[in-house]
């Protein structure tokens, strides 16, 4: 399973990258706003230089011709860029054309399995079902993920399932159990994945026992000498 970090914040990306388990980055216009990004292309280039994997950069046009122009410009920023395209009618047309041109796409804002089916048929590289946002409106986001994984496996679609809008470690665990190819995860959730109170208390006990053993050895050596 690939781990992407869901942020435009360079410090967060650096921190996740330093952990050694990062496979890529996803951004969106809201994350760009949150990080106060003024130079979009320059910022995406910086992210690509920080990490080795795919970097999703979202276009904001909503009509086919404008989407294609923007997608070409974004794809030209860096070879690691994956063009993030919203799952609307013109977006699907753009994904189909971009796929034919060999430009990789991340089809975003997916909230239904039929949307995911069309994105795969259009040749999207990734489909991004937003599990957390569905949970937010009392709909089971994980059930959507299960449906998409099942449909793609049934027909052998190559589109990778990218679990997005991840809110907590259980989302990551369930996405892994269902066979999602990727999870894009905020930094605080990545950190929570490796935490366990029994690990912390177990380590504290090992270290204190080791310290008292060393004290006993030193005391015995003192007595003997
Ligand atoms: C990722 O590609 C999405 O843009 C992101 O996961 C959305 O997450 P949110 O629902 O927390 O904004």
């Amino acid at each position: 399973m690939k781990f992407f970090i869901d942020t435009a914040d360079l410090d967060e990306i650096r921190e996740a990258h330093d952990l050694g388990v990062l496979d890529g980055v996803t951004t969106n216009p809201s994350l760009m706003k949150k990080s106060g990004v003024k130079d979009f292309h320059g910022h995406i280039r910086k992210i690509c230089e920080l990490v080795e994997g795919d970097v999703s950069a979202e276009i904001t046009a909503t009509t086919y011709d404008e989407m294609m122009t923007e997608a070409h410009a974004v794809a030209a920023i860096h070879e690691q860029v994956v063009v993030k395209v919203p799952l609307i009618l013109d977006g699907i047309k753009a994904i189909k054309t971009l796929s034919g041109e060999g430009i990789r796409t991340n089809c975003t804002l997916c909230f239904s399995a039929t949307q995911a089916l069309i994105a795969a048929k259009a040749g999207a590289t990734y489909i991004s079902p937003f599990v957390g946002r569905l949970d937010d409106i009392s709909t089971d986001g994980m059930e959507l993920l299960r449906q998409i994984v099942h449909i793609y496996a049934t027909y052998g679609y190559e589109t990778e399932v990218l679990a997005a809008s991840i809110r907590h470690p259980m989302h990551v665990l369930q996405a892994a159990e269902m066979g999602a190819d990727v999870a894009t995860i905020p930094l605080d959730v990545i950190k929570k994945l490796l935490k366990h109170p029994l690990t912390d208390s177990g380590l504290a006990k090992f270290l204190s026992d080791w310290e008292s053993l060393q004290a006993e050895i030193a005391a015995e050596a003192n007595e003997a000498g």
Side-chain angles (χ1 to χ4, degrees):
M1 187 188 205
K2 287 186 276 188
F3 276 9
F4 291 174
I5 186 168
D6 199 20
T7 186
D9 183 304
L10 296 178
D11 289 334
E12 290 188 359
I13 293 168
R14 222 172 268 120
E15 194 175 337
H17 178 258
D18 286 350
L19 252 181
V21 298
L22 191 66
D23 301 297
V25 179
T26 52
T27 65
N28 63 37
S30 302
L31 292 170
M32 289 289 168
K33 179 174 182 247
K34 191 175 164 195
S35 291
V37 173
K38 304 272 184 304
D39 171 12
F40 174 56
H41 283 214
H43 197 77
I44 290 294
R45 197 172 302 111
K46 273 187 202 157
I47 296 175
C48 291
E49 284 161 5
L50 267 182
V51 302
E52 282 87 37
D54 289 348
V55 175
S56 286
E58 189 158 342
I59 56 170
T60 52
T62 54
T63 59
Y64 175 78
D65 288 338
E66 286 172 345
M67 285 174 128
M68 288 305 298
T69 304
E70 204 184 332
H72 286 142
V74 168
I77 296 172
H78 197 281
E79 62 189 10
Q80 284 164 243
V81 166
V82 175
V83 182
K84 208 169 177 191
V85 182
L87 210 162
I88 55 176
L89 194 141
D90 284 47
I92 291 298
K93 283 162 70 177
I95 287 169
K96 177 72 184 174
T97 308
L98 291 166
S99 157
E101 293 173 355
I103 293 176
R104 295 176 308 138
T105 54
N106 174 354
C107 187
T108 190
L109 289 166
C110 172
F111 294 96
S112 81
T114 53
Q115 286 182 314
L117 181 56
I118 288 178
K121 284 182 69 65
T125 312
Y126 295 103
I127 183 72
S128 287
F130 278 31
V131 297
R133 289 194 195 185
L134 281 171
D135 288 356
D136 288 345
I137 57 158
S138 309
T139 303
D140 188 350
M142 278 300 150
E143 173 56 17
L144 170 61
L145 202 64
R146 190 199 61 72
Q147 289 174 331
I148 298 172
V149 169
H150 175 70
I151 291 168
Y152 283 10
T154 302
Y155 292 100
Y157 287 121
E158 286 176 11
T159 302
E160 292 191 49
V161 181
L162 193 172
S165 188
I166 295 278
R167 302 268 196 264
H168 47 69
M170 285 306 290
H171 276 154
V172 181
L173 174 62
Q174 289 171 338
E177 284 179 331
M178 286 172 189
D181 301 285
V182 193
T184 188
I185 318 171
L187 181 62
D188 66 312
V189 179
I190 293 179
K191 287 182 181 168
K192 282 181 190 163
L193 294 176
L194 60 85
K195 284 296 280 181
H196 199 289
L198 289 179
T199 303
D200 294 341
S201 61
L203 179 61
K205 176 85 172 101
F206 284 157
L207 294 181
S208 75
D209 284 347
W210 182 252
E211 232 172 74
S212 55
L213 175 63
Q214 300 315 304
E216 280 170 30
I217 293 169
E220 279 170 21
N222 253 355
E223 270 175 36

